[in-house]
């Protein structure tokens, strides 16, 4: 079945460092891909999405590119802030469904 | 514009009891999905409701059931609670007419603890 694999955390960075969180997927056909963020004590917020190969999703300085050839959707940010500390989830939804399949999440900790 | 609201925020039950969790979707949305998020894990899809019927279901036992009302709000019921049911239960809403693969909007969840 469809699945998502994320790098394990925590990822610990200093403020203004470059961030990469790896995400790869297994799916039939061409899924839509998402990154969600979860701040402590809160639900999930959509960070960005991409619906077809080579699409780049971006929001709040974060970016991710849908790479069909490597089945990847890595999250990047050029300069992280303390306020970016949260858990990040990579997810996919298959054709004609909005049911989401999530990875296990990656905790990001940013220190001043 | 009200987002997805869930109640209660926290709940403590004992093994064998039954629980009902509630969700109001984001204004304008007509589809509600429920997810279970165990500690340190990603959310797992339980089921989805549209037009007051269960449209899709994940790999959860029949102890988990739901309902959707004409105003699109939804309930999740869990019977015969087990210790392993302790988790954050998330409700998400979307608009069916927008087509598949639409982003879902999540509530802040209900934290269920089983003693």
């Amino acid at each position: 079945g469809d699945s998502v694999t994320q790098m394990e955390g925590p990822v610990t960075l200093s403020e203004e460092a470059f961030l990469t969180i790896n995400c790869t997927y297994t799916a039939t056909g061409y899924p839509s891909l998402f990154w969600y963020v979860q701040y402590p004590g809160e639900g999930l917020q959509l960070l960005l999405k991409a619906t077809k190969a080579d699409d780049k999703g971006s929001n709040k300085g974060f970016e991710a590119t849908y790479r069909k050839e490597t089945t990847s959707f890595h999250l990047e940010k050029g300069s992280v802030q303390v306020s970016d500390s949260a858990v990040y989830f990579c997810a996919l939804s298959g054709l004609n469904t909005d049911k989401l399949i999530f990875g296990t999440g990656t905790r990001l900790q940013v220190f001043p | 514009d009200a987002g997805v609201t869930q109640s209660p925020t926290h709940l403590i039950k004992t093994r064998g009891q039954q629980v009902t969790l509630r969700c109001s979707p984001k204004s304008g949305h007509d589809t509600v999905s429920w997810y279970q998020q165990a500690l340190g894990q990603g959310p797992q899809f339980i089921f989805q409701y549209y037009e007051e019927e269960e449209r899709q279901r994940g790999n959860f036992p029949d102890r988990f059931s739901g309902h959707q009302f004409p105003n699109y709000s939804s309930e999740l019921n869990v019977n015969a609670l087990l210790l392993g049911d302790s988790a954050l239960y998330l409700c998400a809403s979307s608009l069916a007419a927008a087509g598949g693969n639409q982003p879902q909007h999540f509530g802040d969840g209900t934290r269920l603890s089983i003693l």
Side-chain angles (χ1 to χ4, degrees):
Chain A
D2 296 353
S3 65
V4 174
T5 302
Q6 284 182 242
M7 63 186 288
E8 290 196 17
V11 173
T12 303
L13 295 173
S14 298
E15 207 165 23
E16 300 183 3
F18 184 84
L19 168 71
T20 300
I21 300 178
N22 291 337
C23 170
T24 57
Y25 67 90
T26 301
T28 305
Y30 302 98
S32 290
L33 301 174
F34 305 87
W35 278 99
Y36 281 84
V37 59
Q38 188 173 37
Y39 297 100
E42 298 184 12
L44 279 73
Q45 299 175 25
L46 177 67
L47 184 58
L48 53 85
K49 69 170 185 174
T51 57
K52 61 183 187 297
D54 300 325
D55 266 2
K56 177 184 282 189
S58 61
N59 186 27
K60 299 180 181 179
F62 291 90
E63 324 186 304
T65 301
Y66 189 143
R67 300 286 188 200
K68 177 175 173 291
E69 63 277 11
T70 55
T71 62
S72 65
F73 192 55
H74 304 322
L75 182 68
E76 296 182 335
K77 187 176 185 183
S79 176
V80 294
Q81 305 300 311
V82 173
S83 57
D84 293 327
S85 298
V87 181
Y88 292 80
F89 291 94
C90 184
L92 68 82
S93 65
L95 188 64
N96 295 324
T97 175
D98 53 7
K99 163 191 167 182
L100 289 165
I101 296 171
F102 287 90
T104 54
T106 302
R107 180 175 300 279
L108 170 65
Q109 298 174 322
V110 181
F111 293 95
Chain B
D1 180 18
V4 178
T5 58
Q6 293 186 242
S7 63
T9 53
H10 294 87
L11 205 49
I12 299 175
K13 292 286 188 179
T14 58
R15 282 178 297 174
Q17 285 189 311
Q18 177 266 342
V19 68
T20 297
L21 311 182
R22 295 177 175 83
C23 171
S24 292
K26 178 180 167 65
S27 179
H29 285 182
D30 56 9
T31 302
V32 173
S33 301
W34 288 92
Y35 293 80
Q36 180 195 66
Q37 185 180 15
L39 197 62
Q41 300 296 315
Q44 299 291 316
F45 176 78
I46 302 174
F47 43 52
Q48 183 180 81
Y49 276 83
Y50 171 65
E51 292 188 335
E52 302 180 47
E53 292 193 355
E54 184 181 291
R55 186 161 74 167
Q56 275 190 285
R57 188 178 183 93
N59 293 326
F60 280 80
D62 292 345
R63 298 187 298 109
F64 289 77
S65 63
H67 189 77
Q68 186 179 34
F69 299 93
N71 67 353
Y72 308 120
S73 67
S74 177
E75 289 182 349
L76 163 65
N77 301 293
V78 187
N79 295 322
L81 287 166
L82 303 173
L83 292 178
D85 295 332
S86 295
L88 180 67
Y89 288 85
L90 295 165
C91 173
S93 72
S94 55
L95 178 62
N101 303 322
Q102 293 304 308
Q104 296 188 35
H105 295 254
F106 284 81
D108 287 342
T110 294
R111 172 75 59 189
L112 176 63
S113 299
I114 310 302
L115 303 180

